[in-house]
Amino acid sequence: MNGVHDPMPGGDTADTDDTTDRPASGDHGRQTSEAHADHPHSDDAVNDPARGRRRVRAVAAGITTILAILLVWFALIGPNEISRFSLAALLRIPIEGLILLAIVVMLRVTARRIVAALVGVILGLLTVVKIVDMGFFVAINRPFNPTADWSYFQSAEGLLSVSIGRPKAILFLTAAGVLGAAVLVFTPLAVLRLSRLAARHRATSIRTVTALGVVWILCAVFGLQFVSSAPVASTSVASLAVDQVRAVHAGLTAKQTLLKAAADDPFRNTPAANLLTGLRGKDVIVDFVESYGQVAVQGSSFSPQIDSILNTGTKQLSAAGFSAKSAFLTSPTFGGISWLAHATLQSGLRIDNQQSYNDLVTTDRFTLSDAFKRAGWRTVADVPSNEKSWPEGKTFYNYDQIYDGHDVGYKGPNFSYAAVPDQYTYSALERLELAKPNHTPVMAEIDTVSSHTPWAPLPRMVDPSQLGDGSIFNGMPAQGQSPTVVWRDANKVRAAYSQSIQYSLNALISFVQTSADKNLVLIVLGDHQPATIVSGQNANHNVPITIIAHDPAVLKQISGNWQDGRLRPNPQAPVWPMNAFRDRFLTAYGR
């Protein structure tokens, strides 16, 4: 072994050009061999399968650790609203993480694993809640209610199906389910992995906890924050857990609270002779215009176009002998779930979730439709987009007649969610109820849904004399924009919403203007504001309400500084909770 060449493992030889500081004969071959063996780029490293596998495992372990840190970090400080996502919002210090780290480094192996697994499961559940919250905030501007909101997932599937097609809806919901399952599985695994890493580097972990703990205390004391309502000293996951516990507790006690409120009703035993005396002989329509919110008439880029429709409509109705008064109501819902608004207006109770609705319809609460029926009106519900049975229409609202899409003779096409265009809905109600000679006065709740999300495609106004069975609308859906095209661009969504409201209001104005019913009284209101993509972040729940009548005496009985003589309420118009309407209405028009 006194030459330049030394046999290498595997029979290979290594050459060297090094002629300076050459070691003594006998040592050179060994040192050269050892140098090659330790060099990361030597042929030895390349050709040694075991070493290559170790390097791959090391890289994979590093990537896995980084992913585990990111997942746990999001679980600890990630926001539950998409609008609150920012780099600054993620650069916070979670006190829950520091406490967990301090605990696991002090525990023995078995206890550490149990604690890490339990915390991982809790964090996984809370992360799923955050993800669901994101969808709820986008759709209805509030977080998910763990006791009352499960039924909305079925409604979401139906809405997605009519908006983007059933195959895409199934794909989307499947992906969401897989994501939720992955979070529930991988979050506990991530916490377990990080707890082992922390225990392995106990001294470093303790120093890290101590340093960040001091920083957290200082930030908490001085209220330091990077962005609005995102303090550096984070307690977000603990707050989310507390909110969920409170929501569950509130849900468990909500039924008794609602039943007690429903039973406390000063109008239940009002004699028929004292009910609605100021509306005797009138045909009264309660018209819920889908997604007709305050954003439609105030403070948006598209409100001037809608205001123009309302201002022109005011003049047209005035020429036809009709007057109006307007105000605002605060809806219990936002972005959807319209039946909660209907139940709130009718019952005089705030119904803001599905569980409350389910509990309400089991009671004998005195509704507006009950009041009209007791006072001698024929009561009607016109819900043309209903495809399923609606038993509470008979058992709770006590309607004499319920019309759905199968009962109004419509032979035209659907427009996404809207099974029947608004213009036809008004025409059918006129034909089926209001135009009958010598008919009993009618009270009808009518739900017009051409302005329902996804706001595309939309019908066009046609000559009322040409409505017929609705076949005149054939071809219009294909000529309009598809939901998939519209919903790729937020500006297109807002434009489509504006066009839908304009259509719905034009249909309403045309119906009133051409009506031969001089005893017509309309209560026109929105059910809720449109979704956040249209209303914007932090939008209120206010919706316009307008009372339209041909008889001036009807409007004279309204008190409370309503906007006089116009279909459009201005910013100074009064605002009341929607659940206050029933009592105010029965008081204004009864004895």
Side-chain angles (χ1 to χ4, degrees), residues 214-520:
V214 171
V215 174
W216 189 94
I217 292 171
L218 292 174
C219 290
V221 169
F222 293 103
L224 181 64
Q225 56 187 42
F226 289 133
V227 291
S228 178
S229 53
V232 176
S234 169
T235 59
S236 62
V237 73
S239 299
L240 179 62
V242 170
D243 289 343
Q244 293 303 300
V245 171
R246 288 176 175 171
V248 170
H249 179 265
L252 295 175
T253 60
K255 181 173 184 177
Q256 295 304 317
T257 302
L258 177 69
L259 295 179
K260 182 179 179 180
D264 183 15
D265 190 347
F267 289 95
R268 174 180 287 114
N269 298 319
T270 304
N274 292 348
L275 283 170
L276 303 164
T277 55
L279 292 172
R280 295 298 167 91
K282 308 297 183 187
D283 290 320
V284 181
I285 297 176
V286 179
D287 184 358
F288 280 98
V289 179
E290 174 65 38
S291 299
Y292 181 37
Q294 187 171 19
V295 69
V297 298
Q298 288 177 15
S300 64
S301 61
F302 47 80
S303 56
Q305 297 96 313
I306 296 172
D307 290 346
S308 177
I309 298 289
L310 292 171
N311 292 338
T312 300
T314 297
K315 296 176 182 178
Q316 292 171 332
L317 295 190
S318 179
F322 286 88
S323 301
K325 284 190 174 184
S326 298
F328 289 106
L329 298 178
T330 302
S331 174
T333 184
F334 184 101
I337 326 176
S338 305
W339 55 92
L340 303 184
H342 305 170
T344 295
L345 187 91
Q346 285 251 18
S347 70
L349 299 173
R350 179 178 171 83
I351 306 300
D352 58 6
N353 62 71
Q354 186 63 39
Q355 186 58 54
S356 293
Y357 177 86
N358 293 342
D359 294 335
L360 174 70
V361 297
T362 65
T363 71
D364 61 351
R365 179 72 176 183
F366 192 62
T367 62
L368 288 177
S369 52
D370 285 329
F372 277 98
K373 187 169 185 175
R374 182 182 295 179
W377 272 261
R378 171 175 165 81
T379 56
V380 173
D382 193 348
V383 283
S385 284
N386 261 20
E387 297 180 350
K388 301 179 181 179
S389 62
W390 185 42
E392 56 265 38
K394 289 287 189 181
T395 60
F396 177 69
Y397 290 106
N398 295 307
Y399 287 118
D400 295 311
Q401 176 68 50
I402 299 175
Y403 296 108
D404 59 23
H406 305 291
D407 304 317
V408 293
Y410 181 67
K411 303 299 182 182
N414 289 2
F415 291 82
S416 290
Y417 178 88
V420 181
D422 291 352
Q423 193 179 11
Y424 184 91
T425 297
Y426 289 120
S427 174
L429 182 65
E430 175 82 21
R431 169 172 47 85
L432 294 169
E433 294 290 343
L434 304 180
K436 292 180 177 179
N438 303 317
H439 65 270
T440 299
V442 171
M443 176 270 176
E445 180 188 315
I446 181 171
D447 303 339
T448 53
V449 294
S450 289
S451 51
H452 194 289
T453 185
W455 307 306
L458 293 171
R460 298 188 301 273
M461 292 291 294
V462 300
D463 186 332
S465 65
Q466 301 297 313
L467 281 168
D469 63 2
S471 298
I472 193 171
F473 293 102
N474 286 335
M476 287 190 189
Q479 296 165 9
Q481 298 184 87
S482 71
T484 54
V485 171
V486 168
W487 281 78
R488 293 172 187 165
D489 186 333
N491 290 325
K492 288 184 178 181
V493 174
R494 288 187 280 270
Y497 167 78
S498 173
Q499 292 162 9
S500 74
I501 293 293
Q502 292 177 56
Y503 168 79
S504 292
L505 294 175
N506 276 323
L508 166 69
I509 292 165
S510 174
F511 163 65
V512 178
Q513 188 179 15
T514 59
S515 175
D517 188 354
K518 304 306 179 185
N519 287 316
L520 188 63

Side-chain angles (χ1 to χ4, degrees), residues 68-347:
I69 291 171
L70 293 176
L71 177 57
V72 174
W73 195 258
F74 174 79
L76 290 170
I77 65 171
N80 62 346
E81 295 183 59
I82 294 175
S83 62
R84 291 168 53 194
F85 266 97
S86 67
L87 178 60
L90 297 175
L91 296 177
R92 298 184 293 151
I93 303 173
I95 187 61
E96 305 90 349
L98 299 183
I99 294 173
L100 174 62
L101 186 59
I103 291 174
V104 297
V105 297
M106 303 301 294
L107 295 175
R108 294 184 179 275
V109 175
T110 302
R112 185 183 72 237
R113 289 174 178 172
I114 293 172
V115 169
L118 179 60
V119 171
V121 169
I122 294 172
L123 284 180
L125 290 171
L126 291 174
T127 303
V128 171
V129 169
K130 287 184 182 182
I131 295 171
V132 175
D133 276 355
M134 291 176 195
F136 268 70
F137 272 110
V138 168
I140 58 177
N141 201 31
R142 67 166 176 80
F144 171 70
N145 185 319
T147 61
D149 290 344
W150 295 102
S151 62
Y152 298 152
F153 292 104
Q154 183 177 1
S155 300
E157 186 275 331
L159 180 57
L160 281 172
S161 294
V162 300
S163 300
I164 62 176
R166 184 165 179 78
K168 290 182 179 179
I170 292 174
L171 180 62
F172 177 86
L173 293 174
T174 300
V178 170
L179 174 62
V183 168
L184 291 175
V185 170
F186 288 114
T187 304
L189 293 177
V191 175
L192 282 166
R193 183 179 188 85
L194 297 181
S195 69
R196 289 196 300 269
L197 184 64
R200 193 179 306 144
H201 303 279
R202 185 171 180 274
T204 301
S205 299
I206 292 174
R207 287 194 294 268
T208 301
V209 169
T210 303
L212 290 179
V214 171
V215 174
W216 189 94
I217 292 171
L218 292 174
C219 290
V221 169
F222 293 103
L224 181 64
Q225 56 187 42
F226 289 133
V227 291
S228 178
S229 53
V232 176
S234 169
T235 59
S236 62
V237 73
S239 299
L240 179 62
V242 170
D243 289 343
Q244 293 303 300
V245 171
R246 288 176 175 171
V248 170
H249 179 265
L252 295 175
T253 60
K255 181 173 184 177
Q256 295 304 317
T257 302
L258 177 69
L259 295 179
K260 182 179 179 180
D264 183 15
D265 190 347
F267 289 95
R268 174 180 287 114
N269 298 319
T270 304
N274 292 348
L275 283 170
L276 303 164
T277 55
L279 292 172
R280 295 298 167 91
K282 308 297 183 187
D283 290 320
V284 181
I285 297 176
V286 179
D287 184 358
F288 280 98
V289 179
E290 174 65 38
S291 299
Y292 181 37
Q294 187 171 19
V295 69
V297 298
Q298 288 177 15
S300 64
S301 61
F302 47 80
S303 56
Q305 297 96 313
I306 296 172
D307 290 346
S308 177
I309 298 289
L310 292 171
N311 292 338
T312 300
T314 297
K315 296 176 182 178
Q316 292 171 332
L317 295 190
S318 179
F322 286 88
S323 301
K325 284 190 174 184
S326 298
F328 289 106
L329 298 178
T330 302
S331 174
T333 184
F334 184 101
I337 326 176
S338 305
W339 55 92
L340 303 184
H342 305 170
T344 295
L345 187 91
Q346 285 251 18
S347 70

Side-chain angles (χ1 to χ4, degrees), residues 53-71 190 193-194 196-197 200-201:
R53 287 193 296 270
R54 287 196 296 271
R55 291 185 61 195
V56 170
R57 285 198 297 268
V59 171
I63 293 174
T64 303
T65 299
I66 291 172
L67 293 176
I69 291 171
L70 293 176
L71 177 57
R193 183 179 188 85
L194 297 181
R196 289 196 300 269
L197 184 64
R200 193 179 306 144
H201 303 279

